[in-house]
Amino acid sequence: MKKGILYLLAPLILLLILGFQAQDFSDREAMIQAKVDERVEEYRLGVLKRCRDRVMKEAGARVDSILIVRSAEIYTVDSIPRPTKPIKPIKPEVPLLDKSEPIVPILGKEEKE
């Protein structure tokens, strides 16, 4: 029975001892200040990143427009030459018809004969 009371009183006594110790708030203030400094630095870096992204986007748009305008002025030499013109095939000989003859298919004429 004495062991049971001892097991119940030991944690209570331990909590009382730890609860009445003097706390050092200087470390807490230093930790708060360090956290504030860290968050201010993160905010500053975020603002700089957004500003840099905006400037780079604007610069890219300006450079692209300048390159488009100047591309018409710059003569570029292509390393691949144009292919030569293909040779035209020879025209087949088609017999000329008399104006007095009626127009009939030439193939049909040979079959009738």
Side-chain angles (χ1 to χ4, degrees), residues 9-66:
L9 287 178
L12 183 63
I13 293 171
L14 185 63
L15 285 174
L16 286 173
I17 292 172
L18 293 177
F20 287 112
Q21 284 186 351
Q23 294 181 359
D24 187 16
F25 290 109
S26 62
D27 289 342
R28 177 182 277 176
E29 292 296 326
M31 286 179 19
I32 290 172
Q33 187 61 40
K35 191 67 169 178
V36 167
D37 291 343
E38 180 183 334
R39 292 187 72 188
V40 166
E41 185 65 20
E42 286 176 6
Y43 177 77
R44 188 181 69 79
L45 290 176
V47 169
L48 285 175
K49 184 180 183 306
R50 285 193 303 269
C51 183
R52 180 179 171 80
D53 290 344
R54 206 174 327 135
V55 167
M56 292 303 283
K57 187 176 180 182
E58 177 68 26
R62 287 186 185 192
V63 167
D64 288 345
S65 64
I66 290 170

Side-chain angles (χ1 to χ4, degrees), residues 41-100:
E41 185 65 20
E42 286 176 6
Y43 177 77
R44 188 181 69 79
L45 290 176
V47 169
L48 285 175
K49 184 180 183 306
R50 285 193 303 269
C51 183
R52 180 179 171 80
D53 290 344
R54 206 174 327 135
V55 167
M56 292 303 283
K57 187 176 180 182
E58 177 68 26
R62 287 186 185 192
V63 167
D64 288 345
S65 64
I66 290 170
L67 288 176
I68 289 171
V69 169
R70 291 190 69 202
S71 67
E73 301 169 0
I74 299 171
Y75 176 74
T76 57
V77 177
D78 197 2
S79 62
I80 302 173
R82 286 180 104 179
T84 58
K85 270 187 152 179
I87 301 171
K88 290 186 177 180
I90 301 172
K91 286 187 176 181
E93 292 184 20
V94 178
L96 296 175
L97 298 175
D98 265 345
K99 291 185 180 181
S100 61

